[in-house]
Amino acid sequence: MSSGPRVLFVCLGNICRSPLAEAAFRTEAAKAGLSAEADSAGTAAYHVGEPPDRRAIREAARNGVDIAHYRGRQVTPQDFHDFTHVFALDADNLANLRRVRPSGAPARLSLLLDCVEGREGEAVADPYYGDESGFAVTWDEVSEAARALVADLSNG
């Protein structure tokens, strides 16, 4: 692993919000010249090994990012040692992460939208049960958070 930040984005199934957050972060980090690693995972094992939701793949592609090769995985206790930052996409997943986090694990754990001034404590919109338009809203939210996070990480 690199010496730079290592960031993990976590939602429930790892097929909608967290892959989009990973893609948005990778995009913003590359634009800023920030050397960072990123991954995504789910707190549940529903979609382990599966590609992201086809609507998430299309939304990422509309924004110039190919996520079709991403595969769902479940978060592990080791992730809290392997990553410097673990971001939950909503309060329920944050609570689940707090339950599985090993004591003494060094990763910083918080909500993703805590990175955005005025959005602290908010959940990223879950588009799973809606139509395509929800995925655009989710992309906008994770992109805003990614820009703020990259700016913060770039400043030390």
Side-chain angles (χ1 to χ4, degrees):
M1 295 224 168
S2 75
S3 61
R6 296 178 314 276
V7 185
L8 181 65
F9 301 93
V10 183
C11 66
L12 182 63
N14 191 212
I15 59 166
C16 293
R17 291 177 292 172
S18 57
L20 288 174
E22 176 187 349
F25 177 78
R26 287 178 182 273
T27 299
E28 296 301 327
K31 282 183 196 172
L34 176 67
S35 176
E37 293 186 28
D39 197 4
S40 58
T43 56
Y46 303 135
H47 302 287
V48 170
E50 294 178 17
D53 185 289
R54 67 189 182 286
R55 298 165 295 174
I57 292 171
R58 285 195 296 268
E59 184 59 35
R62 273 193 286 278
N63 288 281
V65 185
D66 178 11
I67 65 168
H69 62 285
Y70 287 14
R71 291 295 176 265
R73 73 175 188 87
Q74 189 172 18
V75 71
T76 68
Q78 185 62 41
D79 286 328
F80 294 93
H81 295 281
D82 292 344
F83 291 91
T84 57
H85 298 76
V86 176
F87 288 101
L89 283 281
D90 62 51
D92 287 344
N93 285 299
L94 181 60
N96 288 335
L97 289 168
R98 286 183 173 137
R99 278 195 289 278
V100 299
R101 179 186 191 169
S103 95
R108 290 177 49 198
L109 176 60
S110 64
L111 288 172
L112 180 59
L113 287 180
D114 285 352
C115 297
V116 179
E117 191 172 334
R119 303 284 313 265
E120 299 89 346
E122 292 184 28
V124 170
D126 186 352
Y128 185 73
Y129 293 105
D131 62 16
E132 295 276 337
S133 65
F135 285 81
V137 170
T138 298
W139 178 264
D140 289 346
E141 289 183 350
V142 297
S143 294
E144 182 181 18
R147 284 188 295 277
L149 176 57
V150 165
D152 183 54
L153 293 173
S154 296
N155 293 327

